[in-house]
Amino acid sequence: MATPARRRPFALLRLLLLVGLALFVTGVAGLYLLRRVERGGEATEEARGLSSRRRGLVMAGRGFDYEISEGDRKLFHIKAKKIVSDKDDNFTLKGVELTLTRDNGDVYYIESDRGTYNLENEQATLTGNVLFRGPRDIELTAEGLELSRRGQQLTSTGRVEFRFLGAYSGSANHMRILRPRNRFLLMGRVEVDSLPGAAPPMALRSKRLLYERDDRRLHLEGDVTLRRGEDYLEARRLSLQLDPTEQGLEFARANWAVEGGLVRPAEGSGSNRLRFGGSQLSATFAEGSRQPRKLELESERQEEAWVAVADDGGLERRVRARYLVADFDELGRAQRAQGFGGVEIEERVAFSGESVVRRVCSETADATFLASGALGEVLLEGAVELEDAGTIAHGDRATADLESGLADLEGSDAFVLRRGGHLEAPRIVYRREAGEVEAGEGVRALIESRQGLEPGTDPARRQPIRIAAREAVWSDAENSVTFREQVRAWQGENLLLADKLIGELEADRLLAKGSVKTVWRPPAGKDPTKGPADEAPSGDRPAGGDTPGRSSASGGPALSGSEPLEIQAPSMTYARRERLVLYEGGARAQQAGRVLRCQDMRLELAEDDGFERLTCEGATRIEDPAAGNTVTGETAVYEPADRKARISGTPVVLRDRRGSQIQGRVLIYDFVTGTAEIQTEKAGPVASPPAAPAAPEQGQAGQP
């Protein structure tokens, strides 16, 4: 008998039923039979009428010993050591013993030190060491029991204690039984516990317990706590629907400050611990089992319903929502959770201040729990947000596998935030294990200017880089972000076009490949290339003229002046730390109609706005249509401080619009005046040269 009792912690309900039924039938039947008994012990006419109305009933008594039987079966037996009645129809019995046998053969026994009964108000009281015993090891003790309302209500006059099924014991401050409605009520510090040595131990606590036996419903109120081993349920109010055997559960509902937990074996070894909470809980149970099949949790006001599963390693997966539904497998392990009305899913480390490892939010979610307790695939809809390892992603909907770390987001406003910038695209895929974000179907990006497209700009005043491309991959392993197909990047007024753009975040470099084109635009109203030499009055500048060694032509806008500077090349590298921009594979720079070509072109950036030097190497060529001049050489160095380029080669050749040419090893070309100076000796730093005649023959004569 003990084993099934331990499997049924709600057997207390049967105890209450049996106590109430036995006491009512015993008290009413016994005392009514005695209401007209004369002191000589002879039955009244009413008692004899009862006997005569039931064929086969025999009433026999000797002294204060009365018995009702039917055939060979004893139905009712009452004994008392002494009975006294007075003129007010009050009867007092001492040393009372009552025995009742039900139709099913169950025998109930009650005894007390004394009993009283009043014929006028039809109320009876049993007092002094009241003891009740019934089948299946049911036993109850109390100081007193009162029968009132013609035996329809039975109330204890003090605290009651009980044992049942040989496995449980309990107590309550008061007990009341309403016979017509078959309701049993325990009040005031209700306690039920399994007996010592039970495995697992069970404990039930509440301030009020009501059992409606006809409907098989149990209601508990006031700081309700139900524990069985490591499983527990807490609430301010709890209602239970028992199955037809009254030994199992069909349904449970809890209200206000609900919290509970279940411990179940995990897949393989170990265990997973499920906890849940909310303002309201509804639960259904598997038939013939104590395992839950479904939990429904609701929240009120600012509270949230939640379900959390933690493994032995301390990693907890928690699902929060305004309304939450959790499904369980046959072993009572969570296998699915659906959230509605603002869902938040977290993975956190419980033993380190519950620090959040990753978080997913949405309007609705459908999450799968694995047998290990981990979260598997999660379907999210509406205002999706994912936060994981410094990555924050948004979308209209998403599919995520939190165990493998894969998230696929979609939506017209989908974007991902990472340290240093963000990506926008109709579809974004996040791979945690690879540390990678992939965006496709049209990407827009904003990169905070760790590396700027605007040469030399003060970092404090840099604008972010905006990029558009067909697709992009942001990799933690390579610490880079790569844009492919139809790449367009701009920063302020500066523009870059390329087939592929790679941002190396650790090295602080930008690599552009495939039909690279950059357009540098100086800020409005400011020439980023002007240096101190540009501040001198125009009258102090050297004038063009017929000075030997100098060729002159009509002037125009200077290279890298206020007009945009456009540079094209197969590839470009911008190294911010070294303050270098390198174009390779055949570069072409153009500004205000002037063109500079070479194999490789390098910009050395200045601390302030602008750049300090532009260097060309390999097959260098300068075309100045406004002055009518063309210069070819091997290398060229342009310094914007004086607007002059120093071209060297073997030889350097200058041709003008008339077809004349001069050549030498070094040529200084002035972009302001459109004039050139041939140097026959190795030259030092570029300085303002004397005027040179326009005739090419003079330049020829100056050759080494």
Side-chain angles (χ1 to χ4, degrees):
M1 298 298 291
T3 300
R6 286 196 296 270
R7 296 199 304 266
R8 299 179 175 85
F10 298 100
L12 168 63
L13 305 179
R14 296 193 304 279
L15 167 66
L16 299 178
L17 165 66
L18 299 176
V19 170
L21 183 61
L23 291 177
F24 170 74
V25 174
T26 301
V28 172
L31 294 174
Y32 266 78
L33 287 172
L34 295 175
R35 64 180 298 181
R36 296 300 183 187
V37 175
E38 298 180 351
R39 286 188 174 90
E42 192 174 341
T44 64
E45 183 175 347
E46 181 178 351
R48 288 192 298 269
L50 174 62
S51 176
S52 64
R53 286 194 300 270
R54 297 194 61 183
R55 181 172 298 176
L57 292 179
V58 177
M59 182 176 177
R62 183 176 57 188
F64 305 108
D65 189 331
Y66 296 90
E67 179 179 299
I68 300 176
S69 60
E70 183 174 17
D72 297 332
R73 186 159 61 97
K74 184 187 298 183
L75 299 180
F76 174 75
H77 187 194
I78 181 170
K79 294 172 62 177
K81 294 180 180 180
K82 185 177 181 181
I83 182 169
V84 178
S85 66
D86 60 21
K87 61 180 180 180
D88 296 323
D89 286 336
N90 292 316
F91 290 82
T92 301
L93 295 84
K94 295 184 179 181
V96 181
E97 296 180 9
L98 302 174
T99 303
L100 173 69
T101 303
R102 300 188 62 197
D103 292 341
N104 60 6
D106 291 341
V107 178
Y108 302 97
Y109 174 81
I110 186 170
E111 65 180 40
S112 66
D113 291 344
R114 67 190 64 86
T116 62
Y117 179 69
N118 182 271
L119 292 176
E120 182 68 27
N121 54 31
E122 298 181 337
Q123 291 186 352
T125 302
L126 298 174
T127 59
N129 300 315
V130 178
L131 172 64
F132 170 87
R133 291 197 302 269
R136 302 187 65 185
D137 298 323
I138 296 174
E139 184 176 295
L140 180 145
T141 60
E143 276 302 309
L145 294 173
E146 292 183 351
L147 287 132
S148 59
R149 297 166 59 182
R150 295 188 176 182
Q152 296 183 8
Q153 177 174 300
L154 186 146
T155 305
S156 70
T157 58
R159 189 165 182 81
V160 295
E161 296 182 356
F162 46 83
R163 294 165 61 97
F164 57 98
L165 298 176
Y168 301 97
S169 63
S171 62
N173 289 345
H174 301 282
M175 181 181 70
R176 181 181 302 162
I177 301 173
L178 301 178
R179 184 188 63 82
R181 301 179 65 180
N182 217 5
R183 301 175 68 183
F184 308 89
L185 178 64
L186 296 174
M187 298 171 288
R189 196 179 176 184
V190 180
E191 299 180 355
V192 181
D193 293 280
S194 57
L195 298 180
M202 189 280 292
L204 173 65
R205 302 288 186 270
S206 69
K207 294 181 179 179
R208 177 184 171 96
L209 184 153
L210 173 64
Y211 181 46
E212 299 175 301
R213 184 171 187 265
D214 289 346
D215 298 321
R216 306 191 313 277
R217 283 198 291 262
L218 177 67
H219 306 278
L220 301 103
E221 296 181 356
D223 300 330
V224 181
T225 300
L226 176 61
R227 295 185 178 274
R228 178 179 170 81
E230 296 184 88
D231 297 349
Y232 73 97
L233 176 62
E234 297 177 352
R236 295 182 185 174
R237 178 178 291 177
L238 175 63
S239 298
L240 303 173
Q241 178 68 52
L242 304 185
D243 65 13
T245 67
E246 298 183 279
Q247 298 178 3
L249 286 174
E250 291 181 345
F251 181 79
R253 185 170 182 83
N255 296 82
W256 305 323
V258 179
E259 183 173 337
L262 302 171
V263 179
R264 295 295 182 268
E267 188 176 38
S269 61
S271 61
N272 58 58
R273 301 172 180 271
L274 180 137
R275 297 190 300 130
F276 53 86
S279 298
Q280 298 180 10
L281 174 142
S282 299
T284 56
F285 295 81
E287 185 177 354
S289 169
R290 288 202 186 93
Q291 303 295 354
R293 296 308 303 268
K294 184 185 292 291
L295 292 183
E296 297 182 50
L297 291 155
E298 300 180 55
S299 59
E300 295 179 351
R301 303 183 180 90
Q302 301 301 317
E303 297 180 14
E304 290 180 321
W306 57 275
V307 171
V309 179
D311 56 26
D312 290 337
L315 187 61
E316 181 183 81
R317 291 86 175 178
R318 177 172 296 193
V319 182
R320 301 174 183 268
R322 300 292 293 176
Y323 177 71
L324 189 63
V325 180
D327 295 308
F328 297 80
D329 63 14
E330 63 279 0
L331 297 178
R333 298 178 301 200
Q335 62 180 5
R336 184 184 183 189
Q338 300 176 78
F340 305 90
V343 183
E344 183 179 272
I345 302 175
E346 293 180 343
E347 286 190 338
R348 59 176 64 198
V349 180
F351 54 76
S352 64
E354 293 194 344
S355 59
V356 176
V357 178
R358 58 190 58 89
R359 176 186 289 114
V360 178
C361 301
S362 62
E363 285 299 316
T364 65
D366 189 341
T368 301
F369 283 100
L370 306 180
S372 63
L375 275 171
E377 186 177 78
V378 181
L379 304 179
L380 306 123
E381 291 282 347
V384 179
E385 177 178 325
L386 180 147
E387 181 179 347
D388 184 5
T391 297
I392 300 176
H394 291 254
D396 296 332
R397 55 197 168 275
T399 301
D401 189 328
L402 300 187
E403 179 68 5
S404 65
L406 176 66
D408 192 337
L409 296 94
E410 297 180 350
S412 57
D413 298 324
F415 67 92
V416 60
L417 297 173
R418 309 194 90 190
R419 186 175 64 89
H422 76 263
L423 301 174
E424 300 178 15
R427 183 183 179 192
I428 296 173
V429 178
Y430 170 66
R431 298 180 177 89
R432 184 204 314 146
E433 296 300 325
E436 187 175 273
V437 173
E438 181 179 336
E441 303 179 14
V443 180
R444 301 178 301 277
L446 185 146
I447 307 298
E448 297 296 335
S449 189
R450 296 180 62 185
Q451 63 282 328
L453 292 174
E454 186 176 349
T457 304
D458 182 357
R461 293 184 287 126
R462 282 198 181 122
Q463 300 182 54
I465 304 171
R466 302 180 185 276
I467 303 172
R470 181 64 181 171
E471 61 184 31
V473 176
W474 198 327
S475 173
D476 288 340
E478 299 178 2
N479 202 12
S480 66
V481 55
T482 302
F483 300 89
R484 297 186 181 92
E485 298 186 35
Q486 304 175 9
V487 180
R488 302 182 303 280
W490 59 96
Q491 185 181 43
E493 296 295 322
N494 301 318
L495 174 67
L496 180 147
L497 304 176
D499 296 333
K500 183 178 181 180
L501 179 64
I502 303 173
E504 297 181 347
L505 304 181
E506 185 66 28
D508 219 359
R509 288 186 303 200
L510 274 179
L511 307 177
K513 298 181 180 181
S515 304
V516 178
K517 177 180 179 179
T518 60
V519 179
W520 307 105
R521 298 179 184 273
K526 182 176 179 60
D527 184 347
T529 66
K530 286 185 178 180
D534 299 308
E535 303 302 324
S538 59
D540 297 335
R541 296 175 183 168
D546 297 333
T547 303
R550 187 175 182 88
S551 175
S552 64
S554 59
L559 185 69
S560 294
S562 58
E563 296 293 326
L565 172 64
E566 179 182 305
I567 302 177
Q568 299 180 44
S571 67
M572 182 208 80
T573 301
Y574 171 38
R576 179 177 177 273
R577 293 176 183 173
E578 293 80 10
R579 299 184 180 280
L580 292 176
V581 182
L582 177 62
Y583 298 86
E584 298 178 291
R588 179 182 185 275
Q590 180 176 348
Q591 186 183 47
R594 290 183 169 89
V595 178
L596 174 60
R597 303 174 188 268
C598 59
Q599 186 64 24
D600 300 319
M601 185 179 297
R602 182 175 64 184
L603 296 179
E604 299 177 31
L605 307 181
E607 290 285 349
D608 56 2
D609 293 348
F611 56 88
E612 294 179 344
R613 185 177 290 108
L614 184 152
T615 301
C616 274
E617 295 182 352
T620 301
R621 178 184 179 90
I622 297 176
E623 299 174 2
D624 189 353
N629 297 327
T630 301
V631 181
T632 58
E634 295 178 0
T635 62
V637 178
Y638 173 73
E639 297 184 356
D642 56 12
R643 310 285 182 83
K644 296 176 181 178
R646 183 177 185 272
I647 304 98
S648 60
T650 53
V652 178
V653 179
L654 182 146
R655 294 179 177 86
D656 63 13
R657 62 168 51 96
R658 293 171 296 182
S660 302
Q661 70 177 34
I662 60 174
Q663 64 182 32
R665 291 184 177 179
V666 178
L667 183 144
I668 308 300
Y669 192 84
D670 190 327
F671 285 96
V672 175
T673 63
T675 61
E677 175 186 353
I678 292 290
Q679 294 183 349
T680 58
E681 301 293 337
K682 185 177 180 179
V686 177
S688 299
E697 292 76 13
Q698 295 180 0
Q700 294 281 0
Q703 293 183 37

